[in-house]
Amino acid sequence: MTPLADMIPTMSDPDLKALRLNALRLSASTTASPTQIASAADVIPLIDAEVARRAADKTTAVKKPRAPAKKKVVPATGHQTALPDSKAA
């Protein structure tokens, strides 16, 4: 495997997408060297396999729904309830 192939699992999804587009462009290029074309053709299946693996991981990881938030009740403290009524005075 090439050093690029070793880095594929650590790349982000946008990086993989860009790498795949560049590899496709290079493999179809008429001005690229034969080595570049061969390397690009070798990397495309590895990228596709990594994208498929990540897609399979996302479908198996189902998030549990969160419980609804509990309503917060402010407790009445003793000094607030023991104050005299201002209207009674």
Side-chain angles (χ1 to χ4, degrees):
M1 280 201 305
T2 63
L4 180 60
D6 294 336
M7 294 189 314
I8 287 175
T10 62
M11 290 182 165
S12 66
D13 289 343
D15 289 342
L16 280 177
K17 184 177 178 181
L19 180 63
R20 188 176 190 285
L21 289 174
N22 286 338
L24 284 172
R25 181 184 50 79
L26 258 178
S27 63
S29 175
T30 57
T31 59
S33 71
T35 306
Q36 288 176 323
I37 294 171
S39 296
D42 290 342
V43 168
I44 292 172
L46 299 174
I47 297 169
D48 291 340
E50 181 64 22
V51 169
R53 184 191 65 79
R54 290 182 186 187
D57 285 349
K58 286 181 183 177
T59 58
T60 58
V62 177
K63 293 184 179 180
K64 292 173 49 177
R66 292 182 65 178
K70 294 182 179 179
K71 188 175 182 180
K72 294 183 180 181
V73 178
V74 180
T77 59
H79 73 278
Q80 291 176 336
T81 57
L83 293 176
D85 192 13
S86 61
K87 294 180 184 177

